[in-house]
């Protein structure tokens, strides 16, 4: 499975960005998809996750500001980020589970896209 992210960049405080991640080269099916982020000197943390049937979970720090969605026909997951803050600055990584035969097989990571929010 290959994951390709896009949409990162530099934005001012209060601005918006939309990240996209498309999954390709998979043999079975894509299960849960999500976004994680890692700021300098910090551990990677979960930002938002969406299941195949659209159920979502968010980190408390982004609730009400970020929205995760997916297009199963395009094997693509999105992260709409509004009201961005300097503390949202990080490399954002896409993650996807590969499933088959009703069971989890493996998970994969994209290479990351930088999001920088200036104050």
């Amino acid at each position: 499975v290959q994951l390709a992210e896009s949409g990162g960049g530099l934005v001012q405080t209060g601005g918006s960005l939309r990240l996209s991640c498309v999954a390709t080269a998979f043999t079975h099916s894509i299960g849960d998809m999500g976004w994680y982020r890692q700021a300098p000197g910090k551990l990677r943390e979960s930002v938002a996750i969406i299941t195949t049937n659209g159920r979502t979970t968010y980190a408390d720090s982004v609730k009400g500001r970020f929205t995760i969605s997916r297009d199963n026909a395009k094997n693509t997951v999105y992260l709409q980020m509004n009201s961005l803050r300097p503390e949202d600055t990080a490399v954002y990584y896409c993650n996807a589970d590969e499933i088959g035969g009703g069971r989890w097989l493996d998970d994969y990571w994209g290479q990351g896209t930088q999001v920088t929010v200036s104050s």
Side-chain angles (χ1 to χ4, degrees), residues 20-91:
S20 300
C21 171
V22 59
T24 59
F26 52 92
T27 303
H28 300 282
S29 299
I30 297 298
D32 294 356
M33 301 183 80
W35 290 95
Y36 293 71
R37 67 186 181 187
Q38 187 167 17
K42 295 187 177 180
L43 297 175
R44 189 173 298 187
E45 63 176 357
S46 174
V47 175
I49 296 171
I50 186 166
T51 66
T52 52
N53 60 11
R55 185 164 58 185
T56 58
T57 57
Y58 295 93
D60 288 343
S61 59
V62 307
K63 284 181 180 177
R65 301 188 298 121
F66 291 10
T67 301
I68 189 170
S69 61
R70 66 188 289 170
D71 184 334
N72 290 332
K74 296 180 179 180
N75 299 305
T76 301
V77 63
Y78 306 95
L79 186 67
Q80 178 65 45
M81 304 185 293
N82 298 327
S83 302
L84 282 161
R85 305 166 180 169
E87 53 264 40
D88 295 317
T89 295
V91 178

Side-chain angles (χ1 to χ4, degrees), residues 7-19 65-66 79-85 88 115-117:
L10 173 65
V11 65
Q12 291 184 333
T13 296
S16 298
L17 285 173
R18 188 190 194 210
L19 306 183
R65 301 188 298 121
F66 291 10
L79 186 67
Q80 178 65 45
M81 304 185 293
N82 298 327
S83 302
L84 282 161
R85 305 166 180 169
D88 295 317
V115 171
T116 302
V117 184

Side-chain angles (χ1 to χ4, degrees), residues 99-104:
I99 58 176
R103 61 188 180 94
W104 178 89

Side-chain angles (χ1 to χ4, degrees), residues 1-3 5 36 44 93-96 107-111:
V1 178
Q2 295 181 348
L3 301 176
E5 302 118 331
Y36 293 71
R44 189 173 298 187
Y93 297 91
C94 175
N95 176 271
D107 77 319
Y108 298 88
W109 294 91
Q111 291 191 329

